[in-house]
Amino acid sequence: TVDAAVNPGYANTADNKQNPKWNDIGYDLSNQERGGHKYNRANSFAVDFYNEYNDPRASQVYQLNVNGIVQGRAFGSADGGNEHNDVISGIGSGVLKSATMAAILIPVTETYFLRAEATQRGYLTGGESAEDLYASGVTESFKLLNVPDYANAAATYMAQPDGEVNFENSTDKIETILLQKWIALNSFDPFESWADWRRTGIPSDLPISVYPGVSAPHIPYRLQYPTSEYSFNAANAKAQGTIDPITSKIFWMP
């Protein structure tokens, strides 16, 4: 099983020939960081999750800072010098491999977690067990991020006693599957994780912005239609009624 990816011949010879992700949040032809690389930084919620379970993927998803550690910041925070880019980690080499890397459409780790959830819920039967599919999902995440000795590293990770990593010890196996799916897709497919949260509420402790002016009780449920939609597709857009990103649910949400 392999990642669903494309590579039409990415090359580090011109801006429009680089892998698009590398071109956006990586480095230019002179190996100088792009504006997107300066902007995209580690968030403390994910970093804390990695660190809580001694997860070696942390230093693959994110770079080590000037102090030799992975450090994140809370969304919406502004702590001056303590949150300078020398301190808050950037995107790491497990995500930004090279200017010529393939563009991943669906990583194979995601497919294993999808199947693990479907099997655990009883939608898929007669194949691999949910536990085996879960283990494959975690292992493929370690492989995707170029964790050294990834298979053994993943096995050590899953052997920890906590039910959020150890499937056998989990008292809520759907939660365990989706937590690990979320952390595996970090920096690869945030939209999928957002959809999972909207349909299941997992992770249940997902934080909102700490900016003092924020009053929302949770992250948005929806995106608003762009102004162009009301200009060129007004009848259909207006038929949806007034959409509030915080309170308006989609029909499939609980």
Side-chain angles (χ1 to χ4, degrees):
T1 308
V2 296
D3 300 312
V6 295
N7 193 334
Y10 296 129
N12 200 30
T13 56
D15 286 344
N16 62 358
K17 291 185 178 181
Q18 291 182 324
N19 170 286
K21 190 168 190 174
W22 179 275
N23 184 263
D24 182 37
I25 62 173
Y27 303 87
D28 64 19
L29 301 180
S30 301
N31 206 36
Q32 299 299 307
E33 62 178 352
R34 302 274 186 191
H37 189 270
K38 297 176 182 178
Y39 179 81
N40 285 271
R41 296 281 137 176
N43 72 84
S44 55
F45 183 66
V47 171
D48 289 347
F49 190 89
Y50 285 124
N51 290 340
E52 184 175 359
Y53 302 109
N54 307 301
D55 194 332
R57 289 176 292 182
S59 57
Q60 299 298 107
V61 175
Y62 303 119
Q63 297 172 319
L64 300 180
N65 66 9
V66 292
N67 300 316
I69 62 173
V70 172
Q71 184 169 328
R73 60 175 295 198
F75 181 58
S77 63
D79 193 17
N82 291 328
E83 295 191 340
H84 188 273
N85 276 4
D86 287 340
V87 179
I88 304 303
S89 299
I91 304 300
S93 61
V95 176
L96 292 173
K97 296 178 174 68
S98 73
T100 60
M101 65 183 183
I104 295 177
L105 304 179
I106 302 177
V108 69
T109 179
E110 181 178 345
T111 69
Y112 278 115
F113 286 120
L114 288 168
R115 291 162 60 198
E117 181 186 358
T119 300
Q120 183 63 33
R121 292 186 185 278
Y123 301 147
L124 291 178
T125 60
E128 294 179 82
S129 68
E131 183 173 4
D132 287 345
L133 291 164
Y134 166 83
S136 294
V138 173
T139 302
E140 287 294 337
S141 172
F142 276 60
K143 180 181 179 181
L144 176 63
L145 289 165
N146 290 341
V147 173
D149 193 18
Y150 72 88
N152 286 325
T156 299
Y157 174 77
M158 289 183 284
Q160 296 178 95
D162 196 290
E164 291 194 348
V165 296
N166 188 310
F167 193 85
E168 184 176 353
N169 292 350
S170 172
T171 57
D172 187 337
K173 299 189 187 306
I174 293 296
E175 180 183 45
T176 299
I177 291 168
L178 291 179
L179 280 175
Q180 290 300 323
K181 181 184 177 186
W182 156 68
I183 205 66
L185 294 182
N186 185 22
S187 296
F188 289 98
D189 193 351
F191 194 90
E192 175 74 9
S193 296
W194 184 38
D196 284 342
W197 173 80
R198 289 183 293 170
R199 69 182 175 86
T200 67
I202 300 171
S204 60
D205 56 346
L206 197 63
I208 60 171
S209 172
V210 299
Y211 183 72
V214 173
S215 59
H218 51 72
I219 66 171
Y221 286 147
R222 302 185 63 166
L223 298 175
Q224 289 182 304
Y225 288 120
T227 302
S228 59
E229 196 70 21
Y230 291 97
S231 298
F232 300 107
N233 191 25
N236 289 316
K238 291 179 180 178
Q240 307 308 308
T242 301
I243 295 175
D244 185 310
I246 301 298
T247 62
S248 299
K249 292 185 176 183
I250 306 172
F251 70 92
W252 46 261
M253 292 178 62

